Amino acid sequence: DSGVTQTPKHLITATGQRVTLRCSPRSGDLSVYWYQQSLDQGLQFLIQYYNGEERAKGNILERFSAQQFPDLHSELNLSSLELGDSALYFCASSVSTLDGNTIYFGEGSWLTVV
Amino acid sequence: AQTVTQSQPEMSVQEAETVTLSCTYDTSESDYYLFWYKQPPSRQMILVIRQEAYKQQNATENRFSVNFQKAAKSFSLKISDSQLGDAAMYFCAYSSNNNDMRFGAGTRLTVKP
């Protein structure tokens, strides 16, 4: 158990809909990362937050948005969903440089768009 | 931009034998970190080993060790005495103080009994 909690674990929704994925980082971790992994693909970095502020942005679509709240949990919002958005979405957290930049992953949220 | 390249999409090894997975990276920074993560069929991402670039000594974790060649920007993973449970997708990753963590495309390792 990495200590990173993601909900929901599985989600099935229709095209055009909007979903919210939730992540609770490890206790004490200030950074939260979101990654997308499509079937048999690598991990695509979406976005990173550090202590509530956006720190880095990757290949995140405009239909997607994220935020990190004062209690450090984070949410990834996916809207106007398309079939191609079906993927495993990982949240990860780290305490930043104090731990050699090691990031710890949650178990992921499986999103299926039908 | 930092890139991580894993040139071996698939590798296989006989149980109890040794296998080496390759990884190269591109960076202009001098201080950074390198990682190997394992993703078994459960899809959980599990940290295998970590290397700080300022350390000359190669990291070792039980049967897993790395060959870190900073000048060549190479970071290979050696798995000794391979076990059936080592079968997984292995991702090489790079991170620095100024950047998020970037991953290679992965190498799928098969362990033959």
Side-chain angles (χ1 to χ4, degrees), chain B residues 59-85:
Chain B
T60 299
E61 288 287 343
N62 300 315
R63 297 182 295 106
F64 298 87
S65 62
V66 300
N67 183 5
F68 174 47
Q69 302 290 327
K70 192 172 184 178
K73 296 180 181 175
S74 170
F75 182 62
S76 60
L77 174 69
K78 185 171 82 171
I79 306 174
S80 304
D81 186 25
S82 297
Q83 300 176 0
L84 295 178

Side-chain angles (χ1 to χ4, degrees), chain B residues 16-32:
Chain B
E17 297 295 311
T18 296
V19 64
T20 298
L21 308 184
S22 301
C23 174
T24 58
Y25 58 94
D26 183 28
T27 184
S28 58
E29 299 188 83
S30 58
D31 190 19
Y32 51 88

Side-chain angles (χ1 to χ4, degrees), chain A residues 55-71:
Chain A
R55 184 160 187 182
K57 214 167 188 176
N59 302 321
I60 187 166
L61 300 173
E62 286 190 8
R63 300 183 286 109
F64 296 179
S65 65
Q67 54 184 327
Q68 186 180 27
F69 295 87
D71 67 351

Side-chain angles (χ1 to χ4, degrees), chain A residues 35 37 99 101-103, chain B residues 37 39 44 50 95-96 101:
Chain A
Y35 288 86
Q37 186 180 35
D99 189 25
N101 278 16
T102 303
I103 69 173
Chain B
Y37 282 85
Q39 188 178 43
Q44 174 74 39
R50 179 182 78 195
S95 176
S96 72
M101 186 174 287

